[in-house]
Amino acid sequence: MNFDIIVIGAGPAGSAAATWAARQGRQVALVDKAAFPRNKLCGGLFTERSRSYYTEIFGQDFDLSKVVTRSDIAFWYQSNELAVLHNIPPLHLTMRLPLDYAMFQHAITAGAADYTDCPIAEITDKTVTFRDGRTISGAVLIGTDGVNSVVARYLFGAPFNKRTIGFGLEIEVPETIQKPEVQPLRIDFAAATWGYGWSFPKHASTTVGVGGLHQPNPHMKEHMTAYLESLGLDPTVARFKGHYLPFGDYRKVPGKANVLLAGDAAGMVDPITGEGIAYAMKSGQIAAQAACDALDRQAAETALFLYVSSLKPLHRNLQLARHLRAIIFAPKLQKAFINTFRRSGTVRMKYMQLLAGKIEYPELARGVLTRIPRYFVNALRR
Ligand SMILES: Cc1cc2nc3c(=O)[nH]c(=O)nc-3n(C[C@H](O)[C@H](O)[C@H](O)COP(=O)(O)OP(=O)(O)OC[C@H]3O[C@@H](n4cnc5c(N)ncnc54)[C@H](O)[C@@H]3O)c2cc1C
């Protein structure tokens, strides 16, 4: 079978790319090794940024009857409550199984050919061969196969850089042990080094996890155990599950000629909040548009050039966030940041607006950087 575009990976990035291209009349194959619906290890925090991208790309809102929506959040630091914020922009909490399945169904409804539950044996820059022996070809390939991307490995020899990647551990605490409806939505800044801990109440469970840069956290399991104990939970309540996340480790050149990478495969994760669903959908959409434009020009090999230029605003945001991350997470500065966070309503408010997608990093940076001299004074006092 010949297609215009083959999308490899049917998570948020892949389903967004497939939907966007199929709606423009392109022949699209959507490939995944997993059978859908399938779950994915994730906090499942679906921000208003995610929601607005979802609506733009899929043409309708995500069904919020399936999610828990909170307007309050608690921030903790080293077992002390820093602040509880009320009336914040809404934060939605969902399991990935219904979210990803809804996106996948949009892609199929839009006309993408369903190649899920099809493990891949081999790829080239124009073909995908499945383990059952079938081969499909496409003028443009979009690799949206997550952090362990086979497409990134095919292009660059390795899917990610072990020195700069992030890693997270999670458990689902069942409602029989802890009632999610009475649990606060909670973030703990010091639960991991260069990272944080989270407790996210859902309908029938609470997702509890720790995550951060992999290299400074060689003992993430110990962080997880300590975090669960600090929440009054028995660490043996469920088996820890782990997954890499490209925590701001984005690829400046995400592809080669007619082969593009999007979502986690391209490192499109916020380096401070760890938010990846929104950037996966958005980069998938941008990759699909670049592919369609390149095909319109009958020059599939120009897809990467078009993609990189459209990605610039997102890349600038991620780059700025990487700089800010040093202020928020670097052990020497973190206490000063925490003090400022505790005292400054402006910093807290801007942080929440950022999470909600109401502002982007340049505005957060202005709010935080105007307070930088105070950080250093505070840091020097210690
Ligand atoms: C512990 C943890 C917590 C997180 N919490 C949040 C959160 O609360 N909010 C948020 O916004 N982000 C969160 N993230 C990040 C978010 O999960 C990712 O950024 C997001 O899933 C990326 O979407 P994607 O489509 O690029 O990749 P994925 O969602 O990983 O989808 C990739 C798809 O590719 C398929 N695939 C993989 N390999 C192959 C192959 N060889 N052949 C065919 N198919 C393949 C997989 O089956 C999968 O369906 C978290 C990440 C982790 C690890």
Side-chain angles (χ1 to χ4, degrees):
M1 281 286 285
N2 291 330
F3 291 92
D4 295 322
I5 301 169
I6 302 177
V7 179
I8 303 172
S15 289
T19 304
W20 197 253
R23 288 214 175 128
Q24 295 185 44
R26 291 292 169 186
Q27 298 295 313
V28 180
L30 181 56
V31 176
D32 204 297
K33 64 181 179 183
F36 276 62
R38 62 99 183 90
N39 215 343
K40 148 90 175 75
L41 196 77
C42 184
L45 177 62
F46 186 73
T47 64
E48 285 284 299
R49 176 186 289 100
S50 284
R51 191 176 165 202
S52 74
Y53 290 161
Y54 184 104
T55 308
E56 178 192 342
I57 295 163
F58 299 109
Q60 55 185 269
D61 202 351
F62 180 53
D63 179 1
L64 291 182
S65 66
K66 296 193 174 93
V67 312
V68 168
T69 297
R70 292 287 180 94
S71 302
D72 300 328
I73 187 166
F75 287 97
W76 286 66
Y77 181 69
Q78 293 180 337
S79 304
N80 294 312
E81 191 177 85
L82 275 181
V84 181
L85 311 186
H86 302 284
N87 302 318
I88 57 166
L91 293 170
H92 311 288
L93 300 139
T94 181
M95 296 303 289
R96 285 290 296 272
L97 188 137
L99 174 66
D100 288 24
Y101 193 43
M103 291 189 257
F104 165 72
Q105 285 175 312
H106 282 305
I108 300 305
T109 306
D114 182 354
Y115 284 87
T116 52
D117 199 10
C118 292
I120 294 174
E122 193 183 19
I123 58 171
T124 70
D125 60 353
K126 289 207 169 65
T127 61
V128 173
T129 302
F130 300 108
R131 285 204 201 139
D132 63 10
R134 287 175 301 160
T135 295
I136 55 174
S137 60
V140 177
L141 257 61
I142 305 181
T144 48
D145 48 343
V147 70
N148 285 306
S149 170
V150 290
V151 184
R153 185 174 291 126
Y154 165 74
L155 290 177
F156 301 113
F160 55 75
N161 182 343
K162 282 192 176 137
R163 286 179 293 110
T164 50
I165 193 85
F167 184 73
L169 284 173
E170 271 186 353
I171 62 165
E172 286 304 315
V173 182
E175 59 184 339
T176 46
I177 291 187
Q178 196 181 58
K179 288 201 182 331
E181 60 272 22
V182 297
Q183 296 306 312
L185 169 57
R186 171 171 165 165
I187 286 180
D188 291 65
F189 278 119
T193 312
W194 289 85
Y196 64 95
W198 59 91
S199 176
F200 290 169
K202 311 273 175 71
H203 267 311
S205 62
T206 304
T207 308
V208 179
V210 293
L213 286 178
H214 190 39
Q215 210 174 31
N217 290 289
H219 307 295
M220 197 63 103
K221 277 190 182 164
E222 289 172 19
H223 288 302
M224 181 68 171
T225 301
Y227 185 47
L228 289 168
E229 285 171 351
S230 78
L231 296 175
L233 288 164
D234 175 358
T236 61
V237 64
R239 208 169 65 83
F240 301 171
K241 289 187 183 163
H243 205 274
Y244 285 108
L245 80 158
F247 199 34
D249 186 24
Y250 71 92
R251 283 188 186 274
K252 290 202 168 75
V253 183
K256 278 187 187 167
N258 66 315
V259 184
L260 313 179
L261 299 171
D264 276 14
M268 302 297 291
V269 169
D270 185 302
I272 294 174
T273 64
E275 177 175 17
I277 299 168
Y279 300 105
M281 288 188 286
K282 193 68 191 169
S283 58
Q285 176 199 28
I286 296 173
Q289 189 58 53
C292 292
D293 291 345
L295 291 171
D296 283 346
R297 297 169 164 200
Q298 299 193 324
E301 70 286 356
T302 62
L304 178 66
F305 171 78
L306 299 173
Y307 181 41
V308 169
S309 54
S310 302
L311 269 182
K312 272 185 189 145
L314 277 191
H315 275 172
R316 265 198 298 273
N317 249 338
L318 293 178
Q319 185 60 31
L320 182 54
R322 275 185 67 123
H323 292 312
L324 267 183
R325 174 166 76 180
I327 294 167
I328 295 177
F329 291 135
K332 273 191 180 165
L333 288 174
Q334 193 175 41
K335 276 197 180 160
F337 168 75
I338 291 297
N339 282 336
T340 307
F341 188 88
R342 187 186 282 126
R343 285 196 217 111
S344 168
T346 311
V347 169
R348 290 201 301 260
M349 194 252 304
K350 291 219 178 288
Y351 190 82
M352 292 322 302
Q353 287 175 335
L354 178 97
L355 256 188
K358 302 234 178 275
I359 63 168
E360 295 298 343
Y361 273 103
E363 208 175 317
L364 179 74
R366 275 194 292 280
V368 172
L369 293 178
T370 50
R371 287 159 179 82
I372 265 209
R374 217 183 318 153
Y375 288 168
F376 283 115
V377 173
N378 289 346
L380 288 172
R381 276 198 198 127
R382 257 143 248 288

